[in-house]
DNA sequence: AAAAACCCTATAGCCACTTTAGGGTCAAGC
DNA sequence: GCTTGACCCTAAAGTGGCTATAGGGTTTTT
């Protein structure tokens, strides 16, 4: 891996859009890079590692605020690990909850799809009937036991 | 169900935040209500049903643009039902994809959590080690085969 | 020397809301 | 009749995590 890198090279290397890098810099998630004489950003090994860390955490769908917190912890190696654990725990709970609600959602949509096959006109479309009836609280194939939470 | 309703009553009845109702109105998803002499919004049965329909679709996580399209279809009952079907189909595919990526995510986070139990100091925290190592592309317990797509 | 590829800043847009600021109106109790 | 509190109004800004656009400058390739 050759260093230093220009922003476009860093972007390609880490599989990130280049505007995203500037965005991370703007919100203070990435430290300010050096600048070449022409004003171009210049990145070294530390930046590469840090961006890779951020992207890996994002691939785990962690919010940027969690990632910032993790970086803080990493900078104070003598602190207690418990907060890291609970951060992951909380995130896991979030994911788990979202997963359950998506599974419920999928089931409802499958039922909904089964209510109609195309070729008919809108008036007799089972899907619209189901959706309207459900909104009215009548019985229908797509029961909405668990409301979706975002 | 008594009518007419003021905005707060409609909100309570449909389980929606009152600002959300005004927002739906502003973007043209809900038609303009009548106004009382004092300028207050006044809603009737049609509005209640329409809002309930919107919320039910939102509970199925449909984007507002899909919901607007469905309402369009409902207003032209002689049209072909096929577009409704494919709208649901597309949405189902979205949900299914997100579901798969969340399942993968959960697995990775479980592995990550297993890498550390609290009581240690940050320096020897398995979670941070895993996250950093993974970012570097080394082998680690939380393999990232499928990137998360939003 | 010209064209393409890269870099810069600042600002606006995306989704679906939520929050804030700064008011007006109305019913109940003192 | 006057205050208190619950309700209503508008307009604008903020949220998260980017993405896109406008309007430039620089560097590399042809």
């Amino acid at each position: 891996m050759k260093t230093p890198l220009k922003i476009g090279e860093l972007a390609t290397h880490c599989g990130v859009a280049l505007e995203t890098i500037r965005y991370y810099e703007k919100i203070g998630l990435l430290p300010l890079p050096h600048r070449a004489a022409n004003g171009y950003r210049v990145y070294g090994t530390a930046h590469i590692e840090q961006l890779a860390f951020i992207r890996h955490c994002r691939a785990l769908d962690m919010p940027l605020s969690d990632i910032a917190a993790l970086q803080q912890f990493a900078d104070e190696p003598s602190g207690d690990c418990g907060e890291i654990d609970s951060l992951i725990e909380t995130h896991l709970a979030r994911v788990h909850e979202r997963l359950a609600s998506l599974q419920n959602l999928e089931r409802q949509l499958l039922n909904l799809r089964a209510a109609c096959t195309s070729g008919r006109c809108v008036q007799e479309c089972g899907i619209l009937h189901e959706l309207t009836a459900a909104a009215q609280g009548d019985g229908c194939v797509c029961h909405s036991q668990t409301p979706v939470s975002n």
Side-chain angles (χ1 to χ4, degrees), chain A residues 4-5 25 31-44 47:
Chain A
L5 299 178
E25 177 184 321
L32 296 173
H34 291 289
R35 296 285 184 145
N38 55 14
Y40 287 15
R41 288 171 180 80
V42 176
Y43 297 98
H47 280 106

Side-chain angles (χ1 to χ4, degrees), chain A residues 23-35:
Chain A
Y23 169 71
Y24 288 163
E25 177 184 321
K26 196 174 66 175
I27 62 168
L29 195 61
L30 270 180
L32 296 173
H34 291 289
R35 296 285 184 145

